[in-house]
Amino acid sequence: MAGSSFSFYDQFLSANDWCNRNGGGGAAFPTCVKTASTDPYTYRHGTILLKYTDISLANPTADELGIDPSILETSPERWREVFTAANLYAHAHNAFHGFPTFQRSEASDGIRFWVALIRGTGPGPAGNGVTWRDIPAEEVFPEAPAGVSSFLSLSPQMWMQQLDAWALAHDQGAALPTGWTANYGGKWVVGAVLFEPSSVARVLLSGTELDYYTEICGKESKWPLPTTATGSVHIVASSDSLAPPAPLALDEAPFGDPLYVEPFKVDYFRCVAKRTGTCVVAVFARGPDGVQMVIRPRTDNRQIVYFGNGTSRGTWIVAHRFNFDRQEGEGEVTSFYRGPRESQEVAFELTPATAGPGQIQAHTIGFVKQGFLGIALPIMSFAYSSFIRLSPGMDLLFNWVSPE
């Protein structure tokens, strides 16, 4: 059992999109728990379906909801503010509770969010089995010492997983955080809406059913995604990254040489780019600087490489040709130099076939950083294992980046 590698907000969005497509319930929320399936490329994801009779949907503006919509992208750690705002909105509209589905749209009066409003009439059988409770934080988060607020910084996925475990251990069908917490006499509590087993349906949905692009692209590229204990996806990584964070979480180097990307992994990046519009992947070097790679899909099979330099030293991008029959390199075929702080521009177009006008026949690309007295440092270059092999139909944008 592990957490999903899909983002917290996207898991809520996908669960409710699935409801809309399949009529599986009036609204839904994820448990953020995933289990292995018989398909090595996908997982089964715990999903809670609510009854039509117990919910209604509202579509307030961000102002009416009382949130700054930018925090969803800029400050995901502020997720509880969105949940408490939905709770307050529900109470103001005579509902027992409300939670955001994270489905939203642009309107003339601003961004609007869908909120599921829940009807609660008390324990069954007299009521509908939807209740509310302040739960001692130490029961939900036993790893956090009593009276300590460290649980507040845990990920929202961890909140969902551990509240779900608490609910099952206490004969409930599901639990949903309200986002509210309190400290009474040194004892922390977390607010939760509880659902008796008869009031919800617990289902396991595959990542393909939920349209999780991480799993769909893993299946299409035949890359069963390895994940860390925290559920993040291994792409290309090192533990001492200085590059900008990427949407696909990066925290370890699982492939031996952390800079080598096999073709099927590049196919994964391209699939993500096609489904999301772009795919940002942080690729790292030794020393104070790193490289950020962005993949954008193309409608043709061209491979166009852009290169920029945000550091204080000159940098090169180089292309090599590789003999796949002999499994050895044939050497550098071209390079492109950018001086300190020079912006991104087209470096070259690559093709593995016979080069046409304006094209370079090459298979892999690497990077070189200018060292002391202008001498090139062989960082991410001059070794096939540290090159990135390209896949058709992509613009590849590379930037040296610096924490300065």
Side-chain angles (χ1 to χ4, degrees), residues 185-241:
K187 297 286 188 179
W188 282 94
V189 295
V190 297
V193 173
L194 304 180
F195 302 87
E196 293 178 2
S198 61
S199 66
V200 294
R202 296 180 64 93
V203 298
L204 291 173
L205 301 175
S206 72
T208 52
E209 289 177 294
L210 289 166
D211 203 31
Y212 284 8
Y213 62 78
T214 53
E215 295 183 26
I216 292 172
C217 293
K219 190 176 183 69
E220 289 184 6
S221 62
K222 294 184 168 52
W223 182 15
L225 297 177
T227 60
T228 67
T230 56
S232 60
V233 177
H234 284 314
I235 305 297
V236 183
S238 84
S239 59
D240 57 352
S241 161

Side-chain angles (χ1 to χ4, degrees), residues 361-377:
Q361 185 185 25
H363 303 98
T364 60
I365 52 176
F367 308 89
V368 186
K369 182 166 58 175
Q370 187 173 355
F372 185 63
L373 298 179
I375 300 173
L377 300 178

Side-chain angles (χ1 to χ4, degrees), residues 321 333-334 348-363:
R321 193 172 296 140
V333 294
T334 190
F348 33 71
E349 178 177 348
L350 303 185
T351 177
T354 301
Q359 294 180 322
I360 301 295
Q361 185 185 25
H363 303 98

Side-chain angles (χ1 to χ4, degrees), residues 223-378:
W223 182 15
L225 297 177
T227 60
T228 67
T230 56
S232 60
V233 177
H234 284 314
I235 305 297
V236 183
S238 84
S239 59
D240 57 352
S241 161
L242 290 174
L248 301 174
L250 308 166
D251 52 16
E252 292 178 17
F255 309 125
D257 186 330
L259 301 175
Y260 176 40
V261 186
E262 293 95 333
F264 66 95
K265 293 172 185 170
V266 176
D267 287 341
Y268 172 83
F269 298 152
R270 183 175 59 158
C271 175
V272 170
K274 284 182 175 179
R275 297 185 68 85
T276 65
T278 189
C279 179
V280 181
V281 184
V283 184
F284 309 110
R286 294 169 292 182
D289 302 325
V291 172
Q292 184 188 57
M293 178 175 73
V294 178
I295 295 174
R296 292 191 309 219
R298 298 183 60 88
T299 57
D300 53 30
N301 284 327
R302 298 173 67 189
Q303 304 169 353
I304 299 180
V305 178
Y306 297 77
F307 189 55
N309 179 20
T311 70
S312 59
R313 294 182 180 180
T315 57
W316 289 266
I317 185 170
V318 296
H320 277 221
R321 193 172 296 140
F322 189 76
N323 188 318
F324 291 96
D325 293 329
R326 293 162 51 187
Q327 284 294 295
E328 63 182 33
E330 296 183 356
E332 181 179 317
V333 294
T334 190
S335 64
F336 183 79
Y337 176 80
R338 299 299 286 155
R341 312 297 181 189
E342 286 193 341
S343 59
Q344 192 175 84
E345 66 177 55
V346 174
F348 33 71
E349 178 177 348
L350 303 185
T351 177
T354 301
Q359 294 180 322
I360 301 295
Q361 185 185 25
H363 303 98
T364 60
I365 52 176
F367 308 89
V368 186
K369 182 166 58 175
Q370 187 173 355
F372 185 63
L373 298 179
I375 300 173
L377 300 178

Side-chain angles (χ1 to χ4, degrees), residues 10-27:
D10 284 338
Q11 288 177 72
F12 269 82
L13 178 63
S14 294
N16 285 280
D17 281 347
W18 183 88
C19 282
N20 293 339
R21 292 193 304 269
N22 297 276

Side-chain angles (χ1 to χ4, degrees), residues 109-139:
D109 51 359
I111 296 176
R112 286 184 172 270
F113 290 84
W114 286 100
V115 175
L117 302 179
I118 301 173
R119 184 177 67 95
T121 58
N128 67 348
V130 180
T131 59
W132 168 87
R133 186 182 304 180
D134 271 341
I135 307 172
E138 61 198 74
E139 292 183 15

